[in-house]
């Protein structure tokens, strides 16, 4: 390769990195650069599945990785956000529409730690996920009700579900295994801001949380709708306890499951929650300084959140 071409390629490479706001040595294993103060949460538009990118002042966290069929969309989203290092990869439960992009994330990002609910399954995508963790010696942990993860810069993730007993029972419901019930449910907290992450947790999981925790413990500003807003989530008592201002729903355009369900949307309206949906709004971005917060959507602009009185 000619010297001139080399120099040209290097300057293009540096320009790309500069555009991403990254120092060039980041790719060589240096710690990520300090990010601007505040917390950003992005509900990425990855079709019928979940993937949530969280950036605290110190860490980058990815909660779920979308479906196997939507890996390209997740990859493009992570590239756009210049994500090369994932400090914590959290898999709420091992269904394909949550774990599907994990292999791509392991291939393209430097994943420092993995957290999941420890509920095994027999799918190839889950086996590959375990194999990659073992092969690359990535520290991994199961998380349980009562755990608190330090996300750096003052942000924490407070876990409310599952319990060990729930995982031991494999989410049995009416004689069948329902892995959704053991999804990790946790509250992201930063100053006065809080957001409930729910994976695909359904009403029995919500009822368990209500039995084990007081409404004061689980109240939050924003709810990520469980199970893509299907009719088996967001029970009245849970919504009353959360007292959230807004709900974010991750679902595919014209999805075959007809999510979100009209009866669930009616409940959100009844509780005066602002509704944001990835199928209509594209990627949804929440920014907070720990006091106020804004919700911005890829397709429909910015909306200053209105806290309930
Ligand atoms: Zn799901």
């Amino acid at each position: 390769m000619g010297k001139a071409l080399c120099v040209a390629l290097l300057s293009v490479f540096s320009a790309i990195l500069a555009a991403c706001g990254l120092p060039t040595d980041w790719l060589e294993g240096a710690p990520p650069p300090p990010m601007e103060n505040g917390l950003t949460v992005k509900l990425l538009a990855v079709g019928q599945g979940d993937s949530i990118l969280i950036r605290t002042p110190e860490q980058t966290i990815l909660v779920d990785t979308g479906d196997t069929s939507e890996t390209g969309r997740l990859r493009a989203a992570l590239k756009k956000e210049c994500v090369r290092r994932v400090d914590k990869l959290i898999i709420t439960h091992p269904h394909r529409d949550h774990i599907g992009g994990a292999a791509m994330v392991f291939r393209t990002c430097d994943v420092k730690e993995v957290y999941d609910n420890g509920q095994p399954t027999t799918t190839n995508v889950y086996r590959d996920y375990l194999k990659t963790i073992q092969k690359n010696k990535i520290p991994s942990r199961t998380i349980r009700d009562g755990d608190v993860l330090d996300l750096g810069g003052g942000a924490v993730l407070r876990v409310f579900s599952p319990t060990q007993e729930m995982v031991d029972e494999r989410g049995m419901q009416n004689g069948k295994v329902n892995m959704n019930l053991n999804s990790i449910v946790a509250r992201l907290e930063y100053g006065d801001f809080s957001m409930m992450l729910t994976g695909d947790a359904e009403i029995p999981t919500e009822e368990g949380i209500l039995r084990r925790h007081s409404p004061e413990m689980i109240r939050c500003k924003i709810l990520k709708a469980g199970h893509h807003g299907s009719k088996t989530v967001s029970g009245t008592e849970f919504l009353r306890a959360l007292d959230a201002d807004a709900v974010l729903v991750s679902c595919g355009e014209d999805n075959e499951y007809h999510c979100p369900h009209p009866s669930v949307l009616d409940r959100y309206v009844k509780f005066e929650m602002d509704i944001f949906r990835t199928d209509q709004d594209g990627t949804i971005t929440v920014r907070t300084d720990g006091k106020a917060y804004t919700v911005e959507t890829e397709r429909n602009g910015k909306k200053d959140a209105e806290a309930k009185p």
Side-chain angles (χ1 to χ4, degrees), residues 44 74 102 116 239 251 256 285:
L44 302 173
L74 178 62
D116 61 31
L239 292 184
C251 56
E256 59 185 295
T285 305

Side-chain angles (χ1 to χ4, degrees), residues 6-196:
C6 260
V7 170
L9 283 176
L10 268 175
S11 30
V12 168
F13 188 55
S14 306
I16 292 168
L17 288 166
C20 292
L22 304 176
T24 47
D25 63 352
W26 187 21
L27 297 182
E28 289 155 19
M35 279 170 268
E36 57 187 88
N37 281 338
L39 176 84
T40 306
V41 183
K42 282 180 182 276
L43 195 65
L44 302 173
V46 289
Q48 186 67 16
D50 270 15
S51 188
I52 304 166
L53 180 66
I54 301 169
R55 284 185 138 160
T56 78
E58 291 174 6
Q59 295 188 15
T60 298
I61 299 105
L62 189 65
V63 180
D64 289 333
T65 60
D67 204 316
T68 37
S69 58
E70 301 289 353
T71 298
R73 282 171 85 164
L74 178 62
R75 190 190 169 104
L78 295 179
K79 193 173 171 191
K80 189 175 168 198
E81 297 297 326
C82 294
V83 175
R84 298 300 297 259
R85 170 178 166 145
V86 174
D87 295 282
K88 290 179 173 64
L89 173 64
I90 300 173
I91 300 293
T92 60
H93 67 299
H95 274 152
R96 208 184 69 173
D97 57 324
H98 295 254
I99 201 174
M104 180 278 294
V105 173
F106 286 132
R107 260 197 324 275
T108 54
C109 300
D110 181 10
V111 178
K112 295 297 182 191
E113 288 179 301
V114 178
Y115 294 81
D116 61 31
N117 69 354
Q119 178 86 76
T121 183
T122 54
T123 59
N124 286 339
V125 65
Y126 179 71
R127 277 200 214 110
D128 289 347
Y129 159 83
L130 285 188
K131 260 193 231 162
T132 308
I133 290 170
Q134 282 163 7
K135 194 174 129 214
N136 297 332
K137 298 189 171 63
I138 303 171
S140 70
R141 265 189 63 196
T142 56
I143 49 179
R144 294 284 175 263
D145 179 20
D147 287 347
V148 180
L149 271 59
D150 182 358
L151 306 184
V156 298
L157 193 67
R158 194 176 302 278
V159 181
F160 296 119
S161 200
T163 62
Q164 185 58 47
E165 191 186 359
M166 289 163 70
V167 175
D168 291 344
E169 288 169 2
R170 298 183 303 137
M172 288 301 279
Q173 187 182 33
N174 306 325
K176 282 190 192 152
V177 171
N178 180 358
M179 285 202 296
N180 289 343
L181 300 187
N182 287 341
S183 290
I184 291 170
V185 179
R187 189 172 69 177
L188 172 64
E189 302 172 359
Y190 183 69
D192 295 334
F193 175 80
S194 52
M195 175 169 172
M196 191 68 81

